[in-house]
Amino acid sequence: MEFSWLETRWARPFYLAFVFCLALGLLQAIKLYLRRQRLLRDLRPFPTPPTHWFFGHQKFIQDDNMEKLEEIIEKYPRAFPLWIGPFQAFFYICDPDYAKTVLNRTDPKSQYVQKFLSPLIGKGLVALDGPKWFQHRRLLTPAFHFNILKAYIEVMTHSVKTMLDKWEKVCSTRDTTVEVYKHINLMSLDIIMKCTFSKETNCQTNSTHDPYEKAIFEVSRIVFQRLYSFLHHSDIIFKLSPQGHRFQKLNQVLYQYTDTIIQDRKKSLQTGVKQDNTQKRKYQDFLDIVLSAKDENGSSFSDTDVHSEVSTFLLAGHDSVAASISWVLYCLAQNPEHQERCREEVRGILGDGSSITWEHLSQMPYTTMCIKECLRLYPPAPNISRLLDKPITFPDGRSLPAGITLFINIWALHHNPYFWEDPEVFNPLRFSRENSEKIHPYAFIPFSAGSRNCIGQHFAIIECKVAVALTLLRFELASDHSRPPQLVRRVVLKSNNGVHIGRGKGNR
Ligand code: HEM
C-alpha cells in the first residue's frame, strides 16, 4: 500500500488547525443559534409580518416598497419586528405612545447603526451618548441661538436667489421641467457653508463640489444596503466586497472635504489672514465654537472630535433640509390650489421679496401649515434608532428586554391610519390652530422629540420658509406626471430619480 503524506508527522499541524477551525465554526454556529432563539423568545409578544426563514424581511426593505410598508402599518399599527437574515431583528415602532415611551428615556443610539454611519458623521453629536454627548450639546447649542439665526436670513435669501436665477436661465432656454433636487442640494450646501463655517464656496455656480455631493449620495445608499444585508454586517466580508472597496474610496472624498474646511480655518487663525468672512462677523460661528471648545478638564476638543462635529453638521445641516425643500415644492406643484394660497400669503407679506426679515417669517401661517404637512408626508429623517440599555414596558403592558435594537419609524408614525384620517392625502388644514390640538404630540415628530431632538430644527424651518417663499414669488410650479419621484429610504428620505417640477403658466 502507498504511504500517504497525511500519515507523516508534518501532517499533524494541519490536522490540529483543521480541528481548531471546525471547533471555532461550531462554537460560532451555536452562538448564532442561541442568539436566534433569544430574539425569537424576546420578540414573541409582537407578531411579525410574514417572513422568509433565511432572508427574513431583507427583500421587502431593500425594495423600498412604500405601499407594502403602508399595508404592514395598517396590520401592525403599534410595532413589529423585522428580521434581517436569520440572526438579526430590529424592532420597528409606528405608534405614538410607544414612541413617547422610548423618547422619554435615555437609551443610547444603536451602535450597530452608528458603526455603519460613522464614515459619514464620525462620532459627532448625532452619534454620541452619555456625558460626552451632554457636554457637546451644551457647547454647540449657542451656535443656533435665535439672534444668530436672525443674521442667517440674509445669507439664506442670497443663496436662494442665486438658485432661482439659475432656474430662470434653464427655463428661458428650453420649455422644460427642472430636476430641482440637485440645485436645492447645492443651494443648501452653500447656505450651511456660509452660516456655520463662514466659508464662501460659490458651490452653486462652480462644479468643484459635485464629487462631495455624489459621494454623500452613494455612501448613503451603501450604508443603507449594508444595514439591511446581514452578510455585510461582518466587517471582513464587507471590506472584501466590491461595495466595501467603493465605500473606502468615497470615504476619502468625504474626509478630505471636511478636512479642508478645518485646515483652512486653522491656517487663517494662525496667520491672522482672514481667508473667509470671519472679519465681518459679529458672532462666533459653529467652527469658532468647536475649535475653541474646552472640556471640563480645560482640554480642547481632539482633532477627531473636531472632524466628527464638522462632518456631522455639514451633512445633517444640508442633506435633510435640501430633501425637505424639494418635497415641499413637489407637494405644492401637485396641489395648485394650496400653492396659490401660499403665494397670495407670501406676496401680501413680502411684496417683491427684496428683503425678508425674522418678523416676516412668523407671519406665514398657511405656508407654515403646508410645510408641516409636507414634513408629515415626506419626513426627511424617516428612522431613528436606539439600543435598549434596560428593559422597557409599553403602555399596553407588553415588554422588551435590554439589548434590542429599536427603530422609531417616523414615516410610519406620520402615516399611521389610526392617528391620521386619509394619511396619504395632502391636507395642510390638519395643522390649523384648532386641528393641531387634536394631534397626538408624538404622532408628528419630523425633528424627533425629547432631549435628543434636532438641534438645527429652527435653522431648517427658516431655510425652508425663505426658499419656498422666494420660489413662489418667481415661479408657478406644475407637476410633471411623466417622472414621478421614486422614494428611497436612505439616511434621508429622497427620490432615486430626483424631483422633477414643471413650469406653470410662466415666470411670475
Ligand atoms: C428638515 C431638516 C431636518 C430634519 C428633518 C432633521 C431631523 C432630525 C432628527 C429626526 C434628529 C434625531 C436623530 C436621532 O435621534 O437619531 C435630528 C438630530 C440632529 N440634527 Fe437634525 N434635522 C434637520 C436639520 C438639521 C440641521 C439644519 C442641522 C444643523 C445645522 C441638524 C443637526 C442635527 C444634529 C446635530 C442632531 C443630533 C442632536 C443630538 O443628538 O443632540 N439637523 N435631526
Side-chain angles (χ1 to χ4, degrees):
M1 200 200 282
E2 212 172 295
F3 189 69
S4 157
W5 75 272
L6 285 169
E7 290 164 43
T8 65
R9 70 190 168 97
W10 300 110
R12 280 195 69 190
F14 289 102
Y15 275 130
L16 283 176
F18 176 72
V19 172
F20 180 73
C21 290
L22 202 70
L24 218 65
L26 203 69
L27 257 175
Q28 191 61 20
I30 293 172
K31 234 171 87 183
L32 287 173
Y33 172 78
L34 291 177
R35 180 186 165 78
R36 179 174 169 82
Q37 293 307 312
R38 203 188 59 230
L39 277 171
L40 283 169
R41 189 196 59 218
D42 293 347
L43 296 168
R44 195 170 299 137
F46 301 93
T48 310
T51 173
H52 185 277
W53 71 272
F54 187 70
F55 292 109
H57 301 95
Q58 194 168 303
K59 189 166 171 345
F60 149 68
I61 296 177
Q62 286 175 342
D63 278 354
D64 276 314
N65 187 337
M66 301 312 245
E67 277 151 29
K68 182 93 181 119
L69 183 59
E70 277 162 29
E71 274 172 35
I72 293 182
I73 299 164
E74 203 162 338
K75 265 196 173 152
Y76 307 86
R78 289 202 182 283
F80 51 86
L82 282 187
W83 284 83
I84 314 302
F87 309 114
Q88 178 62 273
F90 298 142
F91 186 77
Y92 276 73
I93 289 178
C94 355
D95 174 89
D97 286 315
Y98 270 47
K100 182 178 172 187
T101 313
V102 175
L103 292 172
N104 283 339
R105 297 172 23 130
T106 53
D107 300 282
K109 298 287 177 85
S110 156
Q111 286 316 309
Y112 228 108
V113 179
Q114 296 309 330
K115 182 177 99 174
F116 301 158
L117 279 178
S118 68
L120 275 171
I121 53 172
K123 265 258 175 212
L125 197 60
V126 171
L128 287 173
D129 283 303
K132 191 161 178 186
W133 164 77
F134 184 75
Q135 185 213 3
H136 282 221
R137 176 98 188 193
R138 196 168 40 84
L139 280 166
L140 299 177
T141 298
F144 296 92
H145 188 276
F146 285 109
N147 285 337
I148 294 185
L149 294 182
K150 278 183 192 173
Y152 290 161
I153 295 176
E154 200 185 324
V155 176
M156 291 173 180
T157 305
H158 187 263
S159 294
V160 173
K161 284 183 175 168
T162 307
M163 177 183 76
L164 297 177
D165 289 345
K166 272 166 64 184
W167 287 1
E168 238 155 44
K169 265 191 207 141
V170 175
C171 292
S172 67
T173 50
R174 44 202 161 108
D175 191 7
T176 180
T177 58
V178 179
E179 194 292 281
V180 293
Y181 176 74
K182 108 175 149 236
H183 296 270
I184 295 173
N185 205 23
L186 284 174
M187 182 268 293
S188 209
L189 179 65
D190 189 23
I191 289 177
I192 201 75
M193 287 295 233
K194 287 196 273 196
C195 292
T196 47
F197 309 122
S198 309
K199 204 168 163 65
E200 192 67 64
T201 58
N202 298 320
C203 63
Q204 295 200 71
T205 44
N206 68 41
S207 55
T208 46
H209 300 261
D210 293 357
Y212 170 74
E213 285 303 347
K214 284 190 184 129
I216 295 262
F217 199 84
E218 216 180 324
V219 165
S220 305
R221 180 180 55 75
I222 298 175
V223 166
F224 185 83
Q225 284 174 349
R226 184 177 183 199
L227 183 63
Y228 293 114
S229 154
F230 69 96
L231 281 177
H232 282 178
H233 285 189
S234 146
D235 284 340
I236 300 175
I237 297 181
F238 179 68
K239 274 188 187 143
L240 293 175
S241 70
Q243 277 205 337
H245 279 290
R246 181 82 190 128
F247 194 66
Q248 313 268 353
K249 280 212 177 113
L250 295 168
N251 279 346
Q252 283 165 11
V253 176
L254 300 183
Y255 188 92
Q256 205 47 54
Y257 194 81
T258 306
D259 202 47
T260 309
I261 297 174
I262 301 166
Q263 296 313 329
D264 282 358
R265 174 64 64 87
K266 279 188 172 168
K267 246 183 254 158
S268 71
L269 287 175
Q270 272 163 10
T271 55
V273 179
K274 311 287 181 188
Q275 294 170 344
D276 47 33
N277 65 3
T278 23
Q279 246 163 358
K280 286 184 252 160
R281 284 188 284 116
K282 296 184 197 80
Y283 56 86
Q284 277 206 313
D285 72 0
F286 169 84
L287 198 51
D288 291 325
I289 293 175
V290 174
L291 287 173
S292 60
K294 300 261 185 276
D295 64 19
E296 59 274 21
N297 308 319
S299 326
S300 313
F301 276 13
S302 68
D303 285 350
T304 317
D305 281 346
V306 171
H307 195 279
S308 292
E309 290 304 359
V310 172
S311 38
T312 295
F313 279 79
L314 184 57
L315 181 70
H318 91 279
D319 207 25
S320 42
V321 190
S324 67
I325 296 171
S326 319
W327 291 124
V328 176
L329 298 187
Y330 171 74
C331 289
L332 293 179
Q334 296 283 103
N335 296 278
E337 66 291 357
H338 294 295
Q339 184 188 148
E340 199 44 48
R341 268 189 82 170
C342 291
R343 183 174 291 110
E344 275 166 23
E345 179 180 78
V346 168
R347 202 180 281 142
I349 299 161
L350 297 182
D352 64 353
S354 48
S355 83
I356 305 185
T357 63
W358 180 264
E359 285 68 35
H360 287 144
L361 297 179
S362 56
Q363 294 164 20
M364 300 178 180
Y366 201 78
T367 311
T368 308
M369 276 155 50
C370 286
I371 292 174
K372 284 188 177 170
E373 178 62 345
C374 297
L375 287 171
R376 182 189 70 81
L377 276 170
Y378 299 98
N383 272 306
I384 54 180
S385 71
R386 296 288 186 272
L387 173 71
L388 288 183
D389 65 353
K390 50 185 183 301
I392 189 168
T393 302
F394 294 108
D396 59 5
R398 289 186 285 179
S399 305
L400 284 173
I404 297 281
T405 298
L406 300 174
F407 277 96
I408 296 177
N409 190 312
I410 296 181
W411 195 90
L413 288 172
H414 289 188
H415 289 250
N416 192 325
Y418 294 86
F419 292 87
W420 300 98
E421 202 183 316
D422 298 327
E424 302 319 313
V425 173
F426 179 82
N427 176 13
L429 291 173
R430 296 176 203 273
F431 293 99
S432 68
R433 192 173 296 173
E434 317 81 78
N435 292 338
S436 289
E437 286 163 12
K438 295 179 220 144
I439 299 175
H440 188 301
Y442 286 77
F444 176 66
I445 51 164
F447 297 104
S448 186
S451 58
R452 300 294 307 248
N453 68 356
C454 176
I455 198 173
Q457 55 186 294
H458 298 296
F459 183 101
I461 290 289
I462 292 172
E463 183 175 332
C464 199
K465 282 187 180 174
V466 171
V468 172
L470 290 176
T471 306
L472 291 181
L473 286 180
R474 272 168 74 172
F475 289 94
E476 189 169 313
L477 312 169
S479 52
D480 175 1
H481 298 292
S482 64
R483 276 173 290 189
Q486 296 160 2
L487 283 192
V488 281
R489 279 171 288 150
R490 300 285 178 258
V491 183
V492 169
L493 185 73
K494 290 183 186 169
S495 162
N496 208 21
N497 58 338
V499 177
H500 295 268
I501 295 188
R503 191 179 159 196
K505 286 177 215 136
N507 292 355
R508 289 259 143 193

